[in-house]
Amino acid sequence: ASSGVKMLINEQVDFTKSRNIFIAAAILVAGIGGLTLSFEVAGQSVTITSTAVAMILGILLNIILKEKKEGEPVETEEAPAATEEALAE
């Protein structure tokens, strides 16, 4: 645990961003809360421990909640431009 905190400090993770707080909270809840996944594959019972689930959850959340880089345009849906014909109606 202390090596993880040291890594967060060394990499200067910005916890003023909601994205980073959400990801860290989800990882901590899954890991400390004891979230495990159990299922069967080809008749064999497989259990994924809480540490592994927390790690997988962190990776997936980082992929899903991509951080916008500076200078990258924000994707928005634009309304079609009004034409003179449409305005005349």
Side-chain angles (χ1 to χ4, degrees), residues 73-82:
V74 177
E75 294 181 24
T76 58
E77 291 185 26
E78 295 182 17

Side-chain angles (χ1 to χ4, degrees), residues 43-56:
Q44 295 288 327
S45 179
V46 177
T47 301
I48 302 177
T49 65
S50 60
T51 305
V53 171
M55 178 189 67
I56 294 167

Side-chain angles (χ1 to χ4, degrees), residues 6-7 16 22 25 31 44 46-47 50 54 58-59 62-63 66 69 72 83-84:
K6 182 178 179 184
M7 182 180 66
T16 62
F22 178 76
Q44 295 288 327
V46 177
T47 301
S50 60
I59 292 169
N62 270 296
I63 291 170
K66 290 183 181 178
K69 294 186 175 127
E72 187 174 305
T83 62
E84 289 181 27

Side-chain angles (χ1 to χ4, degrees), residues 4-76:
V5 173
K6 182 178 179 184
M7 182 180 66
L8 292 174
I9 292 170
N10 288 342
E11 295 297 321
Q12 298 177 349
V13 176
D14 185 5
F15 281 106
T16 62
K17 295 182 180 179
S18 299
R19 172 192 178 273
N20 294 337
I21 293 173
F22 178 76
I23 293 171
I27 292 170
L28 288 171
V29 167
I32 295 171
L35 176 64
T36 60
L37 295 176
S38 298
F39 53 92
E40 286 193 24
V41 176
Q44 295 288 327
S45 179
V46 177
T47 301
I48 302 177
T49 65
S50 60
T51 305
V53 171
M55 178 189 67
I56 294 167
L57 182 62
I59 292 169
L60 290 175
L61 286 174
N62 270 296
I63 291 170
I64 293 168
L65 302 173
K66 290 183 181 178
E67 190 170 14
K68 297 285 183 199
K69 294 186 175 127
E70 290 183 29
E72 187 174 305
V74 177
E75 294 181 24
T76 58

